[in-house]
Amino acid sequence: MTTNYIFITGGVVSSLGKGITAASLAAILEACKLNVTIMKLDPYINFDPGTISPRQHGEVFVTDDGAETDLDLGHYERFIRTKMSCRNNFTTGKIYSEVLCKERRGEYLGATIQVIPHITNTIKERIMEVGISYDIVIVEIGGTVGDIESLPFLEAIRQMVADVGRDHIMYIHLTLVPYINAAGELKTKPTQHSVKQLLSIGIQPDALICRSDHTVPLIERKKIALFCNVHEKAVISLKDVDSIYKIPGLLNSQGLDDYISKHFKLNVSEADLSEWEQVIYEEANPIGEVNIGIVGKYVESPDAYKSVIEALKHGGLKNRVNVNIELLDSQDVETHGAKLLNSLHAILIPGGFGYRGIKGKIIAVRYARENNIPYFGICLGMQVALIEFARNVAQMEDANSTEFAPDCRYPIVALITEWRDQNGKIKQRSEDSNLGGTMRLGGYKCQLIANSKVHQLYGCDVITERHRHRYEVNNCLLNEIKKAGLHISGYSIDKQLVEIIEIPIHPWFVGCQFHPEFTSTPRDGHPLFTSFIKAAFIYQKN
Ligand code: GLN
């Protein structure tokens, strides 16, 4: 079967929700039993988003095969069951880097290297390489039409008609149809201009998805269709909705999946959206609510915790409780103390890097531990939980991570190359591992210990979860911690690294070195988040 490509571009303004739209479209095509995947092409120059501040770029989503990618890939995996890989996201920087490496190796045989054809060819190759295994590849082009930096991407997708044929290509343009209060009217002109801009680079859109805070009525859609040379049926109204899970249904109800399958001449079954209807039902019919605090350091940029926030909501869906999320700045907790936390029914400390805000996080862990408040520590959140426990329960006063205090007496968390006991004795040779000093990224197997809480929750012995960290629990100091009552309930498959900690006498106190939020989905949830929200609900009721 030939692969079909749907290219999604954005116009008028940014932040129209191209990622969610691409994911929702993929969801309805998946519901038609098509084998679909989604790619994100980012026009910026960074090699990948791994080094961009979460304040600027939101979270870094980690794929199972260990790529640091755009957060849109998180939406993709939450909306479809296809797993993303390192090939589903690339940037201008990555393309240039590949082309320049080839040039240095002399592979272009003395040619002058140019944006067209060398950069555009590489972009096309990277897209078509993914295409091999799918019926449909949806390709989201980052940025907005008119941006200088996205031009090579648009040129590449224009050229793809010649490579795969117009019948196997569809261009969908996402635009804004603003409602002007003073005039009491929806305005189609920005859409017309945006489509003109696309036309000027040789792309005639096949469908338009019109974002608006109002439903775009038929008369306006007809007008848009006429001016933009698009079929009436292919002008889709996508008004603001209270839940992103309603978007697949909105697209389907306007026949977008039908229009696409006709365009590609596919004979597909009708979309079965029952799982999404179930999600909407769960969301709309809560039996209670809980307040969950995320204690972090990017409170003004919730996108920095996108997958964690979504996973908490999924936990809410599975328990049919509404999850109110409060983002708390750990530096405020440090300044004002644990009283900031007293309206919470559970506390989560997410992943993070660097010393800022660590003191406040330790205060939050102590408060949760001493007051039997459900606590969930993810990556850095597990590391600070361990530091708190070491200091305040196991009497290791100066316990710390070498990320924050390289010379501390009890380096309970450290690079593997730095593991030592309190007398400075190194017990494990650094050469034994190639992980020290580098980032441990992607899915790794973890062995769960029988009779632990997590073993019961996952219901199996071995799990795979995704990692993104450098520091590890220092095995040289583990005995003291265990004696003081901390339970290690998960290890790396070779038993060398601590993966999960629990406090058995606490109602719900779990820390994991991995990021379970990356594998939670609205339809399936995630056992740790489902159980955490359940514990918060029980705490709230008592
Ligand atoms: N900074 C810690 C480390 O590198 C934790 C990273 C994280 O939370 N993702 O190990």
Side-chain angles (χ1 to χ4, degrees):
M1 176 169 184
T2 324
T3 305
N4 299 293
Y5 296 88
I6 300 176
F7 295 105
I8 302 198
T9 53
V12 185
V13 291
S14 58
S15 304
L16 288 179
K18 242 186 306 157
I20 299 271
T21 309
S24 302
L25 175 55
I28 56 174
L29 296 175
E30 183 190 72
C32 296
K33 311 247 175 334
L34 288 162
N35 185 14
V36 48
T37 193
I38 320 177
M39 296 178 77
K40 171 84 192 278
L41 315 193
D42 279 307
Y44 57 76
I45 313 283
N46 304 62
F47 188 79
D48 65 32
T51 56
I52 311 181
S53 160
R55 196 170 274 135
Q56 269 196 32
H57 197 267
E59 89 177 358
V60 173
F61 185 80
V62 179
T63 58
D64 194 58
D65 62 357
E68 295 181 285
T69 69
D70 189 79
L71 56 67
D72 275 330
L73 274 79
H75 296 312
Y76 305 164
E77 283 201 357
R78 287 188 280 272
F79 275 79
I80 57 171
R81 292 219 162 84
T82 306
K83 292 289 163 236
M84 299 297 120
S85 83
C86 58
R87 300 187 310 165
N88 289 64
N89 182 207
F90 60 78
T91 66
T92 294
K94 201 174 243 172
I95 295 291
Y96 269 81
S97 157
E98 185 181 332
V99 169
L100 288 172
C101 285
K102 267 172 111 175
E103 185 269 342
R104 290 293 83 186
R105 289 196 300 267
E107 289 183 31
Y108 292 112
L109 307 174
T112 305
I113 310 304
Q114 296 180 296
V115 173
I116 305 168
H118 301 95
I119 295 297
T120 45
N121 280 354
T122 310
I123 293 171
K124 289 192 288 177
E125 281 161 22
R126 293 295 78 82
I127 295 172
M128 288 191 276
E129 173 184 276
V130 171
I132 293 170
S133 338
Y134 296 93
D135 301 329
I136 295 191
V137 184
I138 296 176
V139 185
E140 178 193 347
I141 314 290
T144 309
V145 170
D147 296 346
I148 291 175
E149 58 183 8
S150 56
L151 279 173
F153 289 98
L154 297 174
E155 170 60 13
I157 65 168
R158 182 195 68 78
Q159 289 177 12
M160 272 193 59
V161 169
D163 293 282
V164 302
R166 190 64 177 91
D167 287 354
H168 298 294
I169 295 233
M170 186 162 183
Y171 298 108
I172 298 185
H173 192 53
L174 189 70
T175 74
L176 177 71
V177 178
Y179 181 80
I180 305 297
N181 244 333
E185 277 178 21
L186 282 165
K187 291 293 176 192
T188 64
K189 194 72 82 187
T191 298
Q192 296 177 37
H193 281 298
S194 187
V195 169
K196 282 219 170 76
Q197 198 137 23
L198 259 185
L199 279 171
S200 72
I201 43 184
I203 296 176
Q204 163 66 55
D206 300 295
L208 296 170
I209 299 184
C210 303
R211 292 281 293 109
S212 182
D213 45 10
H214 287 60
T215 299
V216 183
L218 183 63
I219 184 146
E220 308 296 340
R221 281 186 278 135
K222 278 189 166 171
K223 187 170 162 189
I224 293 171
L226 188 67
F227 278 105
C228 300
N229 212 12
V230 170
H231 199 290
E232 251 172 61
K233 275 194 195 142
V235 181
I236 307 292
S237 164
L238 188 54
K239 73 168 168 84
D240 296 345
V241 274
D242 53 359
S243 161
I244 53 171
Y245 310 129
K246 291 184 179 164
I247 299 174
L250 264 180
L251 300 178
N252 166 262
S253 66
Q254 294 175 72
L256 186 58
D257 42 335
D258 192 46
Y259 184 78
I260 291 171
S261 48
K262 287 209 174 90
H263 177 95
F264 292 137
K265 301 186 181 66
L266 296 170
N267 200 0
V268 295
S269 39
E270 199 149 305
D272 173 8
L273 293 178
S274 52
E275 286 182 331
W276 291 105
E277 280 151 17
Q278 173 66 17
V279 168
I280 295 165
Y281 175 79
E282 286 166 355
E283 192 175 39
N285 295 285
I287 53 166
E289 61 180 332
V290 290
N291 302 334
I292 309 290
I294 299 180
V295 181
K297 62 178 185 181
Y298 299 112
V299 289
E300 72 296 350
S301 328
D303 271 359
Y305 305 113
K306 191 72 204 170
S307 292
V308 173
I309 292 172
E310 291 302 312
L312 287 170
K313 289 189 199 156
H314 306 156
L317 296 176
K318 298 302 145 216
N319 288 285
R320 297 268 303 278
V321 297
N322 212 353
V323 177
N324 307 316
I325 294 169
E326 219 180 300
L327 281 173
L328 290 134
D329 188 327
S330 46
Q331 280 182 304
D332 288 345
V333 178
E334 184 180 332
T335 314
H336 304 291
K339 62 174 186 288
L340 292 187
L341 311 172
N342 60 23
S343 63
L344 302 175
H345 306 128
I347 294 172
L348 183 149
I349 299 190
F353 295 82
Y355 182 63
R356 184 168 70 81
I358 291 298
K359 278 190 189 152
K361 289 180 184 171
I362 290 175
I363 292 171
V365 176
R366 182 171 196 170
Y367 173 75
R369 183 179 56 75
E370 290 181 342
N371 294 286
N372 284 333
I373 298 166
Y375 176 81
F376 195 178
I378 295 178
C379 208
L380 180 66
M382 181 200 89
Q383 297 174 355
V384 290
L386 201 67
I387 293 167
E388 192 281 325
F389 191 88
R391 285 184 191 173
N392 300 323
V393 184
Q395 256 85 60
M396 301 158 117
E397 297 107 71
D398 185 29
N400 216 326
S401 162
T402 54
E403 183 177 2
F404 320 125
D407 300 320
C408 63
R409 170 127 193 250
Y410 297 102
I412 184 69
V413 176
L415 298 178
I416 297 180
T417 49
E418 297 172 332
W419 282 4
R420 55 182 162 82
D421 67 14
Q422 65 269 41
N423 304 314
K425 233 173 102 197
I426 292 170
K427 286 193 184 159
Q428 175 153 345
R429 303 271 314 144
S430 56
E431 290 81 357
D432 293 348
S433 168
N434 60 4
L435 294 174
T438 58
M439 192 83 100
R440 191 169 167 224
L441 277 169
Y444 284 88
K445 283 196 172 129
C446 164
Q447 177 88 46
L448 302 178
I449 303 303
N451 300 323
S452 61
K453 184 192 284 293
V454 288
H455 187 268
Q456 185 214 333
L457 294 178
Y458 278 97
C460 57
D461 298 334
V462 176
I463 54 166
T464 301
E465 292 280 9
R466 301 182 196 173
H467 294 247
R468 181 175 185 246
H469 60 105
R470 288 192 179 83
Y471 294 81
E472 300 281 357
V473 176
N474 173 2
N475 285 348
C476 308
L477 294 170
L478 219 49
N479 276 342
E480 286 80 339
I481 305 270
K482 286 200 256 185
K483 267 188 246 151
L486 194 99
H487 190 54
I488 310 297
S489 50
Y491 287 95
S492 57
I493 207 81
D494 61 1
K495 285 269 166 66
Q496 293 301 301
L497 302 170
V498 170
E499 292 275 19
I500 313 178
I501 61 170
E502 289 177 21
I503 300 179
I505 59 162
H506 188 286
W508 212 98
F509 193 105
V510 175
C512 51
Q513 189 60 81
F514 50 78
H515 290 269
E517 70 272 25
F518 292 144
T519 47
S520 174
T521 70
R523 287 181 287 176
D524 303 327
H526 185 288
L528 294 183
F529 282 94
T530 304
S531 169
F532 177 59
I533 297 296
K534 185 174 179 190
F537 194 40
I538 293 170
Y539 178 87
Q540 184 250 58
K541 284 201 285 197
N542 291 336

